[in-house]
Amino acid sequence: MKAVGSLIFGLVLTFFGEGAFGQSPQQKAVPFHKTGILAEGTEWETPFFASDSGVEGPTVIITGGMHGNEPAGAEAADQIRHWPVVKGKIIVIPKVNQLALAAEQRRIPKFGNELSDLNRNFPKTGTPDEARTELGKAVWAFVKKQKPDWVLDLHEGFAINRQNSKSVGSSILCHPNAQTKPHFEQALAVVNASIDDPQKLFQLKSETMTVNGSLVRASMERLGAVGAILETTYADQPIAVRIRQHRLMVHRILRNLGMIENGPDQLVFRSSNETTRYVAVFQDVGVGGTGPEKIRQKLEAMEGTFETRIIGGAEIRNGSLDDFDAVIFPGGSGSKQAAALKESGREEVRDFVSDGGAYVGVCAGCYLACENFSWGLKILDAKTLSSKWARGRATLDLEFSNEATAELKLDSKKAKVLYVNGPVMGPANSELIPDFETVATFKTETAKNGSPKGIQIDSPAILRGTYGKGRVVGISPHPEQTDGLRDVLPGLLEWGLSAP
Ligand SMILES: [Zn+2]
């Protein structure tokens, strides 16, 4: 879709010395490819990304994923690393603690209690300048070498601090002076302006020093850096919202320092000549389960083909879809997803597809695309055949069309697929939307909870159509969670992206 300026792509990392990473930055048009590996050669190795504007200014280090059960910080850092830097240097380590992130647990797997919390392994007040554990030592040596002016470490608490003082969730932990305090106060004001519920507002916690042994405290004490631990709250808040909270806070500070010029909802920066397709995966209210992450992992594994970003209603309302090629709405609740988008967000999605973007809706995302809901997008000429949606969870038989079997390179036109309350559909015969084409049909059914029997067999399970210049794929069951069918969604996405 819209090609965003590519001014940054040649400016990466001159301060590390050209050639240090195996290629000069000019050779590749992909922005911010891995610029180096921390703890290289060990099981802890993790990439860092660095952008040097070439203009004198502060050096800011941003870290995420220090604790493995706090994914929003890692995801936010991974988005922020794409921002073009116009002054100073920004160095991002998005996933500091890769093994803990993979295990989705706070502590470093396999260490005893004392060493397992990475953010207690940095030099403590009044002790020798030594970090502990192989990973802690590697991170500390790297951070010291950068001589940072600022260190911002992105975390998540288990509860919102103003509701539960046992957690530091939804707060900015800092120890500012008169000069730096306004930055934190403004970051607080910006993030709080995005929150409707007064019980969920962030707080500035600046009276006490950040925890002893943390990267931020060590950087403040030993390197003279300005530091802060930014904390969202993972309980009961969708990840897109938490990522955005981090992004808003970091954005305010970087803007104040004059280091960036982009807006806070800029999720993608792309060069005009790259072939990577950018896919937004909706993970706001109304999205549940492990499906979205499975989709992202599958697409990201196709290196050079797809890059994905988590997106929420706020970003969509602010026009972020313009920079993407496709959007995926995963399973959960269609009406709740619609509510999270709000009317203006739904209009943005319709405009996105109408202008040539691809839409893939799975289960709830397929309901969302249908024609017959007041809250729906009405971009697929299909309607549900019954208002009783709780048909249950079952493994059902599917039959793909001959054309789809060949196109998707399936071994057989028959397959078994996981189904969880997805829409049972028929033609809506709308005058405004072109007819859909059936990709696969249900050959068996489930009809629990008093839902009508006999309507699911031979109804379209996977269908596709056009809307304006764009293409829409509706998937009632869950091929992305079914062994043997995991390539179906990427295959249909490719079709969606090949609109003339
Ligand atoms: Zn943490």
Side-chain angles (χ1 to χ4, degrees), residues 66-70 106 117 119-120 153-157 168 229 231:
M66 188 82 76
H67 291 136
N69 61 336
E70 302 169 13
R106 175 182 176 89
D117 188 334
N119 211 26
R120 305 292 181 273
D153 190 18
L154 314 186
H155 285 254
E156 301 201 78
V168 289
I229 300 179
E231 297 266 1

Short mmCIF file of all heavy atoms in Angstrom, two decimals, residues 66-70 106 117 119-120 153-157 168 229 231, ligand 1:
data_model
loop_
_atom_site.label_atom_id
_atom_site.label_comp_id
_atom_site.label_asym_id
_atom_site.label_seq_id
_atom_site.Cartn_x
_atom_site.Cartn_y
_atom_site.Cartn_z
N MET A 66 12.99 -8.43 29.31
CA MET A 66 13.90 -8.79 30.41
C MET A 66 13.28 -9.93 31.23
O MET A 66 13.97 -10.82 31.71
CB MET A 66 14.11 -7.56 31.29
CG MET A 66 15.15 -7.70 32.35
SD MET A 66 16.84 -7.44 31.74
CE MET A 66 16.92 -5.67 31.58
N HIS A 67 11.97 -9.86 31.37
CA HIS A 67 11.20 -10.94 32.02
C HIS A 67 10.33 -11.60 30.95
O HIS A 67 9.61 -10.92 30.21
CB HIS A 67 10.32 -10.38 33.15
CG HIS A 67 11.12 -9.89 34.31
ND1 HIS A 67 10.85 -8.70 34.95
CD2 HIS A 67 12.18 -10.43 34.95
CE1 HIS A 67 11.72 -8.53 35.94
NE2 HIS A 67 12.54 -9.57 35.97
N GLY A 68 10.37 -12.93 30.93
CA GLY A 68 9.78 -13.64 29.80
C GLY A 68 8.27 -13.67 29.76
O GLY A 68 7.66 -14.00 28.74
N ASN A 69 7.62 -13.32 30.86
CA ASN A 69 6.15 -13.32 30.89
C ASN A 69 5.59 -11.91 30.69
O ASN A 69 4.45 -11.64 31.06
CB ASN A 69 5.65 -13.90 32.21
CG ASN A 69 6.11 -13.09 33.41
OD1 ASN A 69 7.13 -12.40 33.32
ND2 ASN A 69 5.39 -13.18 34.50
N GLU A 70 6.43 -11.03 30.12
CA GLU A 70 6.01 -9.64 29.91
C GLU A 70 6.21 -9.28 28.44
O GLU A 70 7.05 -8.47 28.09
CB GLU A 70 6.82 -8.73 30.85
CG GLU A 70 6.64 -9.11 32.31
CD GLU A 70 7.62 -8.41 33.26
OE1 GLU A 70 8.27 -7.44 32.84
OE2 GLU A 70 7.72 -8.86 34.42
N ARG A 106 8.70 -15.58 33.86
CA ARG A 106 9.47 -14.42 34.30
C ARG A 106 10.95 -14.72 34.37
O ARG A 106 11.78 -13.96 33.90
CB ARG A 106 8.96 -14.01 35.70
CG ARG A 106 9.77 -12.88 36.33
CD ARG A 106 9.25 -12.56 37.74
NE ARG A 106 10.05 -11.55 38.41
CZ ARG A 106 9.83 -10.25 38.33
NH1 ARG A 106 8.84 -9.79 37.59
NH2 ARG A 106 10.59 -9.39 38.98
N ASP A 117 16.31 -14.26 38.21
CA ASP A 117 15.67 -13.01 37.83
C ASP A 117 16.71 -12.11 37.18
O ASP A 117 17.53 -11.49 37.87
CB ASP A 117 15.04 -12.33 39.05
CG ASP A 117 14.21 -11.12 38.65
OD1 ASP A 117 14.49 -10.53 37.58
OD2 ASP A 117 13.29 -10.77 39.40
N ASN A 119 16.69 -9.27 35.96
CA ASN A 119 16.73 -7.85 36.34
C ASN A 119 17.14 -7.64 37.80
O ASN A 119 16.86 -6.60 38.39
CB ASN A 119 15.40 -7.17 36.05
CG ASN A 119 15.60 -5.69 35.71
OD1 ASN A 119 16.67 -5.29 35.22
ND2 ASN A 119 14.59 -4.88 35.98
N ARG A 120 17.80 -8.64 38.39
CA ARG A 120 18.49 -8.46 39.68
C ARG A 120 19.96 -8.82 39.52
O ARG A 120 20.69 -8.88 40.50
CB ARG A 120 17.87 -9.36 40.77
CG ARG A 120 16.37 -9.21 40.96
CD ARG A 120 15.98 -7.86 41.57
NE ARG A 120 14.53 -7.80 41.76
CZ ARG A 120 13.67 -7.39 40.83
NH1 ARG A 120 14.12 -7.00 39.63
NH2 ARG A 120 12.37 -7.36 41.08
N ASP A 153 13.68 0.68 30.14
CA ASP A 153 13.49 -0.77 30.19
C ASP A 153 11.99 -1.06 30.30
O ASP A 153 11.33 -0.56 31.22
CB ASP A 153 14.27 -1.32 31.40
CG ASP A 153 14.33 -2.84 31.39
OD1 ASP A 153 14.10 -3.46 30.34
OD2 ASP A 153 14.62 -3.40 32.48
N LEU A 154 11.45 -1.82 29.36
CA LEU A 154 10.00 -2.00 29.24
C LEU A 154 9.55 -3.30 29.90
O LEU A 154 10.00 -4.38 29.52
CB LEU A 154 9.59 -1.99 27.76
CG LEU A 154 10.20 -0.87 26.89
CD1 LEU A 154 9.58 -0.91 25.49
CD2 LEU A 154 10.00 0.49 27.51
N HIS A 155 8.66 -3.17 30.86
CA HIS A 155 8.18 -4.33 31.64
C HIS A 155 6.67 -4.34 31.73
O HIS A 155 5.99 -3.43 31.26
CB HIS A 155 8.75 -4.26 33.07
CG HIS A 155 10.20 -4.62 33.16
ND1 HIS A 155 10.63 -5.81 33.69
CD2 HIS A 155 11.30 -3.94 32.77
CE1 HIS A 155 11.95 -5.86 33.63
NE2 HIS A 155 12.38 -4.74 33.08
N GLU A 156 6.15 -5.40 32.39
CA GLU A 156 4.72 -5.49 32.67
C GLU A 156 4.51 -6.03 34.08
O GLU A 156 5.19 -6.98 34.48
CB GLU A 156 4.03 -6.45 31.69
CG GLU A 156 4.17 -6.06 30.24
CD GLU A 156 3.09 -6.73 29.41
OE1 GLU A 156 1.95 -6.24 29.43
OE2 GLU A 156 3.40 -7.74 28.76
N GLY A 157 3.56 -5.46 34.80
CA GLY A 157 3.21 -5.97 36.12
C GLY A 157 2.01 -6.90 36.03
O GLY A 157 1.32 -6.95 35.01
N VAL A 168 3.81 -3.39 40.50
CA VAL A 168 4.16 -2.06 39.98
C VAL A 168 3.53 -1.81 38.61
O VAL A 168 3.91 -0.89 37.89
CB VAL A 168 5.69 -1.87 39.88
CG1 VAL A 168 6.29 -1.74 41.26
CG2 VAL A 168 6.32 -3.00 39.09
N ILE A 229 12.03 2.48 34.40
CA ILE A 229 11.37 1.21 34.09
C ILE A 229 9.91 1.55 33.80
O ILE A 229 9.22 2.10 34.65
CB ILE A 229 11.49 0.21 35.26
CG1 ILE A 229 12.96 -0.08 35.57
CG2 ILE A 229 10.74 -1.08 34.93
CD1 ILE A 229 13.18 -1.04 36.75
N GLU A 231 6.24 0.31 33.05
CA GLU A 231 5.48 -0.91 33.37
C GLU A 231 4.04 -0.81 32.87
O GLU A 231 3.29 0.06 33.31
CB GLU A 231 5.42 -1.11 34.90
CG GLU A 231 6.75 -1.33 35.57
CD GLU A 231 7.10 -2.81 35.73
OE1 GLU A 231 6.29 -3.68 35.30
OE2 GLU A 231 8.18 -3.08 36.29
ZN ZN B 1 9.47 -7.19 34.63
#
